[in-house]
Amino acid sequence: MAAADTTIIILAAGKGTRMRSDLAKVLHRAGGRPLLEHVVRVCQPLKAAQILVVVGHQAEVVGAVAEQLDAQVIVQQPQRGTGHALQVARRAIRRSTKIAIVLPGDAPLLRAETLAALLDTHRRGEAAATILSAELPDPTGYGRIVRDAEGRVQSIVEETSATPEQSAIREVNSSIYCFRLEKLWPCLNALRPKNAHHELYLTDAIAMLRERNERVLAQIAPDSNEIMGCNTRSHLADADRVLRARKAAELMDSGVTIYLPETVVIDPEVTADPDTVIEPGVQLLGKTRIGARCTIGTGSILNETRLDDDVVVMPHSNLHSSHLGARAQVGPFSRLRPGADIRAGAHIGNFVEVKKSVVHEGAKAMHLTYLGDASVGARSNLGAGTITCNYDGVAKYETIIGSGVFIGSDTALVAPVRIGDGAYIAAGSIITENVPADALALARSRQVNKLGWAKARRRQLAAEKKPPKRSKPRTSRRTSRRKPARRAKSKPRRR
Ligand code: UD1
Ligand code: CA
């Protein structure tokens, strides 16, 4: 569907006062992307000769988003209304193009098919302008489409200047239009700022075209949701909900099970293969890629993370820029930080944090462990509370653990340090030196048993509890309560 005679103009210069934000409105995010990005992407399949984005408020940042998407940036300074924005865009429009498609930068729900159908209607109807309209149960905030007795479009009336009868009209303007440029320019030149905001309204051009006996059509969008403009935070939340629901539906259509899909947040570029199960309250962010037959437990967040097939992420795990090999298991309550590479069949359990470390095939760290800048060999088992001490306050060091190693609970591995294949480390050790393969390392103080010590102490304490003889009668209850019985120095105190 090539449209070489068409220029697309996206209006994104406004401040978005109703957002009450320091951030330009079109940069607010819904469905995991800035509003403007949704609009540019929906235009791309049309293959128009050019996509122009009119920027003004926070021109640099907004322009950068547009340029990243290969759109051409036009600066409108100051911003004197939607009609003025088109006047400014005029100088950048290629002479070879005959049609302009105009869209607002704040309508992220439009679908490419709807836009293509609008252009088609415009061409086939040989219209000077074709408006995408929608019938809304509550038209508040939108310009109304005024039609004459024969049903022909007469004008668009903004809410602020509508009569009570016009306010009752439920067909609204989406701000998405096709114009035949040669017909539009004379009307744009004639716009006057005679309205509440003293702006040049593009919507006024519609009545002008009609006064010149030009053909103006309005095509009603089949799904009225699509035309929604995000003016407020509440609109933003509505748009986000719709975009998230669309993404969840797309994954479900491709064979992914999602329970309570209204509770999950999945970014647009996430992929998941069939028979993966996503439990309630999961967030899948960035370019996360999930293989087949995986389970993502409730409350887990996966960001920029890659899962091979048959991986289990148990509830409330937080995974960022990590990789999990086939059949790996993590969670509940695991934290994988950037560079965690959990190879096939390895297990990471509750309250285990892994950063920039490789845990090789079948290795296990099931409880309360920190692995940073480490390599854990295949089939090694790390006891509860194993900690790599990778940082000395200045620099980071590596811990290399061989394969088939057994590390007892509560072991601190002070990096840089190496543990050879098949070695054993006794529980409670503080390992500061390399351990050779197949050795047992003990690095803790030797235990001492003092026979009868506890019994003797109990006897002593019981003797102390006997009330001391009083010399004087009690004067008041308070003083007697304040003075604790003096304890005799206990004999078997410490060794
Ligand atoms: C506009 C329409 C209204 C329609 C509604 C649909 C006008 C006068 N009104 O109202 O009929 O129902 O959209 O959502 O057009 N912009 C610029 N330069 C400017 C002013 C605005 O680029 O000088 C951009 C804004 O950044 C925004 C878009 O134009 O992306 C629309 O402006 P906005 O203020 O949101 O218009 P609405 O009041 O929503
Ligand atoms: Ca708007």
Side-chain angles (χ1 to χ4, degrees):
M1 175 209 318
D5 63 343
T6 302
T7 290
I8 292 172
I9 305 160
I10 299 171
L11 309 184
K15 179 174 191 292
T17 311
R18 291 161 280 182
M19 279 288 181
R20 301 193 190 287
S21 173
D22 287 338
L23 186 68
K25 173 168 69 174
V26 296
L27 294 184
H28 282 262
R29 298 171 82 88
R33 283 179 173 149
L35 297 177
L36 177 61
E37 184 174 342
H38 288 285
V39 180
V40 176
R41 282 181 185 273
V42 95
C43 294
Q44 284 167 341
L46 278 182
K47 303 215 183 316
Q50 47 184 170
I51 298 180
L52 306 179
V53 178
V54 181
V55 305
H57 189 75
Q58 293 185 357
E60 266 184 35
V61 248
V62 178
V65 170
E67 274 168 354
Q68 258 174 21
L69 296 160
D70 293 327
Q72 189 183 332
V73 171
I74 311 297
V75 179
Q76 179 198 13
Q77 211 68 271
Q79 300 88 46
R80 295 178 49 223
T82 47
H84 178 244
L86 270 201
Q87 289 177 352
V88 172
R90 183 173 184 173
R91 62 185 149 83
I93 297 175
R94 273 185 218 153
R95 287 188 186 281
S96 56
T97 62
K98 305 260 174 298
I99 297 172
I101 301 178
V102 176
L103 306 97
D106 66 353
L109 300 184
L110 182 70
R111 289 178 196 267
E113 309 87 81
T114 309
L115 193 58
L118 182 76
L119 179 58
D120 198 48
T121 302
H122 180 73
R123 284 189 203 281
R124 286 199 284 150
E126 293 180 354
T130 305
I131 307 162
L132 182 67
S133 69
E135 282 177 331
L136 299 182
D138 176 12
T140 309
Y142 290 91
R144 310 295 204 274
I145 306 286
V146 180
R147 294 181 185 255
D148 64 16
E150 281 85 59
R152 289 174 306 191
V153 175
Q154 238 181 351
S155 62
I156 298 173
V157 181
E158 289 306 300
E159 190 163 75
T160 42
S161 40
T163 64
E165 297 90 79
Q166 290 169 334
S167 291
I169 297 171
R170 288 175 40 235
E171 185 182 1
V172 302
N173 170 30
S174 67
S175 253
I176 300 160
Y177 328 76
C178 297
F179 291 105
R180 191 162 342 145
L181 285 167
E182 53 170 347
K183 305 285 184 187
L184 178 67
W185 297 133
C187 297
L188 277 187
N189 291 336
L191 290 178
R192 295 290 173 268
K194 281 187 273 176
N195 51 58
H197 296 101
H198 308 290
E199 289 186 345
L200 300 177
Y201 284 172
L202 178 56
T203 46
D204 288 345
I206 298 299
M208 288 179 182
L209 286 167
R210 291 292 290 117
E211 278 158 22
R212 290 160 202 240
N213 273 321
E214 299 294 352
R215 240 166 107 71
V216 176
L217 305 174
Q219 172 156 308
I220 300 174
D223 173 5
S224 62
N225 260 333
E226 279 188 46
I227 67 110
M228 186 194 159
C230 294
N231 297 321
T232 64
R233 306 273 180 167
S234 168
H235 294 152
L236 193 68
D238 290 340
D240 184 67
R241 187 177 309 117
V242 173
L243 290 163
R244 299 300 186 186
R246 282 187 195 169
K247 179 66 188 183
E250 174 197 313
L251 288 185
M252 290 191 282
D253 286 347
S254 71
V256 175
T257 294
I258 306 181
Y259 293 111
L260 296 183
E262 63 276 20
T263 67
V264 307
V265 171
I266 306 178
D267 275 356
E269 290 178 59
V270 170
T271 63
D273 292 337
D275 290 321
T276 278
V277 175
I278 297 170
E279 293 181 357
V282 163
Q283 295 195 40
L284 305 176
L285 308 175
K287 291 193 177 77
T288 290
R289 306 244 174 282
I290 298 175
R293 299 175 302 279
C294 296
T295 298
I296 316 299
T298 199
S300 292
I301 303 173
L302 279 61
N303 193 350
E304 299 287 340
T305 286
R306 192 161 56 83
L307 271 56
D308 296 347
D309 296 340
D310 301 292
V311 169
V312 177
V313 176
M314 282 182 269
H316 304 290
S317 296
N318 192 328
L319 282 47
H320 195 308
S321 302
S322 297
H323 165 246
L324 279 79
R327 299 176 315 286
Q329 286 192 18
V330 303
F333 299 100
S334 295
R335 179 168 184 217
L336 303 192
R337 289 167 51 200
D341 184 1
I342 313 303
R343 300 278 169 88
H347 289 196
I348 298 296
N350 37 250
F351 309 107
V352 174
E353 175 181 342
V354 183
K355 185 220 78 171
K356 209 174 159 194
S357 295
V358 185
V359 177
H360 285 91
E361 288 73 7
K364 290 182 180 176
M366 297 303 286
H367 338 263
L368 304 159
T369 284
Y370 172 63
L371 292 174
D373 307 297
S375 166
V376 178
R379 297 173 317 283
S380 286
N381 192 318
L382 275 50
T386 299
I387 305 290
T388 56
C389 309
N390 61 326
Y391 186 49
D392 64 0
V394 181
K396 305 269 168 79
Y397 303 94
E398 287 188 336
T399 301
I400 311 293
I401 299 169
S403 60
V405 167
F406 180 91
I407 299 188
S409 296
D410 195 22
T411 292
L413 301 161
V414 183
V417 72
R418 284 176 174 271
I419 316 296
D421 293 346
Y424 257 66
I425 294 181
S429 290
I430 297 180
I431 300 296
T432 54
E433 285 163 34
N434 293 346
V435 178
D438 298 318
L440 165 68
L442 288 125
R444 64 185 189 214
S445 52
R446 185 174 282 278
Q447 183 170 334
V448 177
N449 289 341
K450 298 197 169 185
L451 297 179
W453 183 94
K455 196 175 182 184
R457 182 162 186 267
R458 278 194 297 275
R459 199 175 290 149
Q460 171 110 28
L461 288 174
E464 283 173 11
K465 259 196 192 152
K466 280 184 191 149
K469 288 230 172 86
R470 289 191 204 99
S471 45
K472 269 191 250 169
R474 254 193 260 179
T475 46
S476 84
R477 297 196 77 165
R478 283 201 73 182
T479 46
S480 73
R481 219 193 277 151
R482 265 203 202 141
K483 274 189 191 161
R486 239 248 215 109
R487 218 201 266 162
K489 223 182 175 189
S490 53
K491 271 268 162 68
R493 246 208 154 134
R494 279 195 187 164
R495 54 185 165 98

